[in-house]
């Protein structure tokens, strides 16, 4: 009997820049998790709540140790193969909670280095596109490697309805576009890991 090689499974951590329960960006991540379970073989996505992280303050690092909640977060990032970001756009940039999480995981040793990443966002007219651009700039210094295509920024308020009253993505075309992002992230992650 011949052994069948199993397809590698990549571990993706999903981070949302919005802390609001009904956040449309969090809804994108919930949808991505469901899509990955239903129709993207070889990918596991775990949502990581960044709200418990304290604001970055190096005085909290004692004897080379991070606060336990920060260390737990850093370990999740280190153990992941890639990262899926979802963030609204605040003042042409990423949100303060997301930047704070990024900064904590960038403290030496940098947890982001050499990981594949993708960004999805939703909001007003441009759907968070400027926040995505700024996140890509941040990623350069962190050695994060973002997929270039497909881009996913969604105008949450243009017809037809994109989300239900609980912030869940309901638009089939948007779900198809989100699946394409996940497939691209999977392929790019495998390529970076030398498994393509």
């Amino acid at each position: 009997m011949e052994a069948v090689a199993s397809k590698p499974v990549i571990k993706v951590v999903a981070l949302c820049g919005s802390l609001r329960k009904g956040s449309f960006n969090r809804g994108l991540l919930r949808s991505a998790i469901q899509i990955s379970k239903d129709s993207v073989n070889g990918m596991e996505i775990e949502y990581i709540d960044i709200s418990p992280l304290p604001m970055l303050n190096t005085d909290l690092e004692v004897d080379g140790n991070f606060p336990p909640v920060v260390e737990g977060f850093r370990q999740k990032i280190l153990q992941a193969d890639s990262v899926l970001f979802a963030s609204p756009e605040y003042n042409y940039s990423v949100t303060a909670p997301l930047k704070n999480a990024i900064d904590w995981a960038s403290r030496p040793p940098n947890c982001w280095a050499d990981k594949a990443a993708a960004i999805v966002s939703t909001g007003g007219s441009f759907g968070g596109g400027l926040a995505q651009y700024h996140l890509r700039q941040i990623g350069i210094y962190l050695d994060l490697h973002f997929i270039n295509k497909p881009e996913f920024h969604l105008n949450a308020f243009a017809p037809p309805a994109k989300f239900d009253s609980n912030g869940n993505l309901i638009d089939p075309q948007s779900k198809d576009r989100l699946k394409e992002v996940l497939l691209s992230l999977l392929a790019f992650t495998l390529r970076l890991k030398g498994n393509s």
Side-chain angles (χ1 to χ4, degrees), residues 26-181:
R26 191 176 296 190
L28 290 177
L29 293 180
R30 284 192 300 272
S31 189
I33 290 167
Q34 192 58 53
I35 290 167
S36 72
K37 288 178 182 176
D38 293 344
S39 60
V40 180
N41 294 327
M43 175 181 276
E44 292 177 2
I45 302 175
E46 179 184 1
Y47 173 74
I48 307 296
D49 183 8
I50 62 174
S51 66
L53 296 173
M55 289 302 293
L56 180 69
N57 178 351
T58 55
D59 290 342
L60 298 176
E61 298 175 31
V62 179
D63 298 325
N65 296 310
F66 296 99
V69 68
V70 171
E71 185 57 36
F73 172 71
R74 289 172 55 83
Q75 288 304 312
K76 291 282 189 183
I77 302 302
L78 281 170
Q79 293 164 8
D81 298 305
S82 55
V83 185
L84 177 60
F85 294 96
S87 185
E89 180 180 308
Y90 288 2
N91 302 314
Y92 292 176
S93 187
V94 298
T95 65
L98 182 58
K99 183 64 167 70
N100 184 59
I102 290 168
D103 290 344
W104 269 122
S106 72
R107 298 285 301 142
N110 175 15
C111 300
W112 306 108
D114 292 324
K115 294 193 186 299
I119 315 166
V120 296
S121 62
T122 186
S125 60
F126 193 39
L130 294 174
Q132 287 193 24
Y133 180 64
H134 193 198
L135 184 53
R136 287 175 181 277
Q137 289 175 312
I138 293 166
I140 292 168
Y141 183 78
L142 300 175
D143 292 324
L144 267 170
H145 307 290
F146 286 100
I147 63 169
N148 291 321
K149 299 280 191 291
E151 295 180 330
F152 188 104
H153 37 85
L154 177 66
N155 184 332
F157 309 106
K162 306 296 189 288
F163 296 90
D164 66 16
S165 61
N166 295 315
N168 296 308
L169 184 64
I170 58 171
D171 179 52
Q173 185 178 15
S174 297
K175 286 183 179 184
D176 290 343
R177 289 179 52 221
L178 187 54
K179 181 179 177 181
E180 292 303 314
V181 170

